[in-house]
Amino acid sequence: MRNAWTLTKVRMRLALRNRAFIFFSLVFPLIFLFLFLGLFARSNVAAVPYMLASVLAITVMGSFWGLSIQLVTFREQGILRRFRVAPVGPGAMLASSILSNYILTLPTVAIEFALARRIFHMQGWGNLGGVFFLITLGIVTFAALGLIIASVTNSTQETQVINQILWSAFLFLSGATLPLPMLPIWLQRFALFLPATYLVTGLERVMVARVGIRQIEPEIVALAVSAAMAFFLSQQLFRWEPEAKVGPRAKVLAAATIVPFLLLGLWETAHGNLRSTARTDFLSIERSAPADRPAPLNAPR
Amino acid sequence: MSAPIIEVHNLTKNYGAVKALRGVSFEVQEGEVFGLLGPNGAGKTSTVEILEGLRPPDGGIVSVCGLDPQSPGSAFKQEIGAVLQSTALPDKLRVGEAISMFASFYKRRRDPAALLKRFGLEEKRNTFYSYLSGGQKQRLALAMSLVNEPRVLFLDEPTAGLDPQVRREIYTIIEELKKERKTILLTTHYIEEAEKLCDRVAIIDQGRVIAQGTPRELKQRSAGTTRIELRLARPESDAALKQLEGVADCHASDGVYVVHSTRVPQTIVSLVKYLEANGNELSSLDIAAPSLEDVFLELTGRRLRD
C-alpha cells in the first residue's frame, strides 16, 4: 500500500509536468463545457445540469486514454523493468495509475461545477453525493479499462488505434455528445452495450432527476463489476518487459471485462427502462426551453 | 570457506530454437567481485537477468543469498541491487525524486542525499532525468542500485557505450565498492574491465562457461605463448606468418599482426629473415604479456569483439 501511494505521488508530479496531460485532462473538458453549455443551455437554465452531466461523463471517460498510453510507453522504454528489480508488484503499479488519475481528475470536475454555477447559472447541485459517487466509480472503471488496454496492446501505436476506436464509440454513441434519445433506435439499442452509456445516463439521472443511487443500481453494479474485473485481469496480464508480447489467450481473457455490459445490455434490451428514462430526462429540459425559442432538438420515438 | 552467496548449477535458457544458455555453472563468494566475460550474445545478460529474477530459467539451479530469484514476495528483491544493461526512467522525473522513490520501496535503506553526494550528483538533484549526460545517468543508476544496502550487486555491462573518461569514473566507483567488500556480479565484454576490477572471472561463450578463475590463473593458461604485436610496411598474409618458427597462432586486426609465439627469439629472427627476403620492413614490434583476450582467443579461436 505504501509503495502504491509513493508511486501515486510520483505519477501525479509527472502528469502535471506533461503539457499533453494538462491539455487533455483540463483544457479539453473545459472546451466541451463552454461548447455544450454555451450552445445548448445559454438561454435555458434548466438544461445546464443535463449538459453538465455529459461534460462530466466526457471528463471521466478520458481517464482510460492517457493512462493506457503512459503505461505502454513506460513498458516500451524499459522503465517498468527498472521497477521490476525493486520490491514493487503489479498491484502497486496499477493501483497508482488509477489513484493518481482519480486525484488529478477531481479538480477538473470541481472547476466544471463552479463554472456551470457561476457562468451558466446552474440552479442547485443535483444529487451531489450521487454525482460524487458516480464520478469516483466512473474514473475507477474507465481507468481500469485503460489498464486492460495497456495489458493487451504491444506498442504505443496499437494502443492509440484502440483508444481512438473506443473513444469515438464512447463519445458519440453513449449520449455524451448527442443525447441518447436523438440517436436512431438501432444505435440506441447498440448503446445499451457500452459502459459509457451507463455512466452518461447515471450522471443525467442524478443531475437532472436528482435520483438517489439506489435508483441507478444497474448502472452502478455494471460499472463496479467491470472495474473489479478489469483491475484483476490487468494484474494477471501485466507485463514488465518490452519484448513480452501478449498472446491471443490474454486478449480473450481481457475481453471478459465487457461481460457485465453485455449482460446488462441484454437485460436492458429485454426488460430495462434506461432508454425511456433517458428520454424523460431529455424531454424535461426540452419542455423547459423558453417559449420564444424553438426546441433545438427533436427526439425520435 | 562459507557457503557461496550466488550459486548457479547447470543453468539453461532457450528463446525458441535458440539455446542461449547450455548448462552454465559457477559460484560467487561473499565480498567477491565476479566477472562474466564474453562477446555479445554469449549469454551474459540472460544469466544475470535470471539471477536478478527478471527471467525464469528453463533448467538448472539458481540461488542468490540462499533465495530462489523466482520466489514470490519481496524478500529476494530486498537483498539485491541492480544496474541493468540500459536503465530508463521517466524523462520528467528529477534526480532527487528518483532516488528517494526507489529508497522508499525498501525496508533497509541508505540516505538518498548521501548517495547523491557520493556519486557526484548532489548539484543535479533537481535536474530532470532527460537532461543528464550518459555518464550521469549511469552514476544515478549505480546510486539507485545501492539505496537498499544490497548484499549482492548486479552490474550488467555498466560501462557499455560510455566514453573512456566516464568509463574510468565508473571503474573508480566499482573499485571503491570492492574495497567495501561488496559482492558484485559484473558482466562485460571489455578485457580491461574484467582484468582491473574482478577477483575472479568466468569466460562465457555460446551459452557455456569455457574457463573460470582469477585473471592471473586464466592468463597462466596462455603462459606457454607470448604475444608479439607488429606492424609492417606492407601487408602480409596471416598464413605466411604462421609458417614462421615458434608461431602458434597469428591474426591481423586494424593493420596490427598479433603473433602468439612459443619461442620468441626464434620467431623474431625468422620474421626478420622472412621480411628481408620479401622486401618488406618492420614498422613496430611489441612483446606483451598474455591478456584475457589471448585466453579467449586460445579457447575459441575468435576475438572477443569478433
Side-chain angles (χ1 to χ4, degrees), chain B:
Chain B
M1 190 180 275
S2 58
I5 196 162
I6 299 175
E7 291 178 88
V8 179
H9 295 296
N10 206 21
L11 183 63
T12 59
K13 179 74 187 172
N14 304 323
Y15 301 109
V18 179
K19 291 182 187 302
L21 300 177
R22 305 161 184 239
V24 168
S25 299
F26 60 87
E27 292 178 348
V28 181
Q29 297 296 325
E30 190 151 18
E32 190 174 36
V33 178
F34 188 87
L36 284 178
L37 175 69
N40 290 330
K44 305 184 300 290
T45 295
S46 290
T47 304
V48 83
E49 288 188 347
I50 289 170
L51 292 173
E52 289 164 343
L54 291 177
R55 294 181 192 280
D58 288 334
I61 297 167
V62 173
S63 162
V64 178
C65 304
L67 298 164
D68 177 357
Q70 290 296 315
S71 59
S74 71
F76 169 74
K77 289 175 181 175
Q78 295 284 349
E79 300 298 338
I80 65 157
V83 173
L84 305 177
Q85 200 169 60
S86 60
T87 298
L89 290 172
D91 285 348
K92 293 285 177 75
L93 189 63
R94 294 184 199 280
V95 168
E97 290 168 352
I99 196 158
S100 298
M101 172 178 68
F102 276 94
S104 77
F105 296 147
Y106 295 93
K107 292 175 188 161
R108 188 175 61 228
R109 64 186 87 140
R110 291 170 78 164
D111 177 18
L115 274 172
L116 288 183
K117 190 175 179 184
R118 176 177 176 181
F119 287 91
L121 292 166
E122 206 176 14
E123 288 175 8
K124 298 285 177 188
R125 64 174 301 114
N126 290 318
T127 303
F128 288 139
Y129 182 72
S130 58
Y131 294 160
L132 297 181
S133 66
Q136 288 165 340
K137 283 179 178 172
Q138 199 63 342
R139 275 189 275 147
L140 176 61
L142 273 160
M144 291 195 318
S145 72
L146 293 168
V147 286
N148 58 326
E149 289 275 19
R151 285 182 66 200
V152 175
L153 185 60
F154 295 101
L155 306 178
D156 191 6
E157 306 263 9
T159 62
L162 299 177
D163 64 54
Q165 190 190 334
V166 179
R167 202 181 293 169
R168 277 193 293 276
E169 280 178 29
I170 303 293
Y171 289 170
T172 307
I173 292 168
I174 297 171
E175 280 171 335
E176 282 173 20
L177 295 171
K178 188 175 173 177
K179 281 181 196 153
E180 294 171 19
R181 304 286 299 151
K182 185 72 74 191
T183 308
I184 298 173
L185 180 75
L186 171 92
T187 74
T188 184
H189 61 267
Y190 294 122
I191 303 289
E192 179 198 359
E193 201 162 290
E195 288 189 347
K196 191 177 170 73
L197 301 173
C198 298
D199 297 315
R200 284 195 307 129
V201 174
I203 298 179
I204 188 164
D205 185 51
Q206 296 181 347
R208 286 195 182 93
V209 172
I210 52 174
Q212 58 178 308
T214 65
R216 179 187 289 264
E217 283 167 359
L218 290 171
K219 284 187 283 189
Q220 277 170 355
R221 292 176 66 125
S222 285
T225 64
T226 298
R227 192 171 66 169
I228 305 169
E229 287 185 11
L230 46 106
R231 286 175 189 272
L232 303 175
R234 282 190 294 107
E236 290 286 346
S237 73
D238 295 358
L241 296 179
K242 274 182 189 168
Q243 301 303 316
L244 300 177
E245 202 175 339
V247 172
D249 185 41
C250 174
H251 63 270
S253 175
D254 299 331
V256 179
Y257 294 85
V258 179
V259 176
H260 288 89
S261 167
T262 51
R263 288 175 292 151
V264 177
Q266 287 86 340
T267 299
I268 292 175
V269 169
S270 69
L271 171 70
V272 171
K273 282 182 184 167
Y274 171 81
L275 294 175
E276 229 173 43
N278 288 280
N280 205 345
E281 282 177 21
L282 259 178
S283 300
S284 71
L285 185 145
D286 288 304
I287 299 173
S291 72
L292 289 179
E293 174 83 58
D294 300 307
V295 179
F296 186 80
L297 187 71
E298 193 180 298
L299 290 167
T300 67
R302 288 176 290 114
R303 287 167 70 86
L304 264 167
R305 282 168 217 170
D306 281 352

Side-chain angles (χ1 to χ4, degrees), chain A residues 191-209:
Chain A
L192 296 177
F193 295 89
L194 293 175
T197 308
Y198 296 92
L199 178 69
V200 174
T201 54
L203 281 168
E204 283 171 1
R205 300 223 66 211
V206 291
M207 289 290 296
V208 178

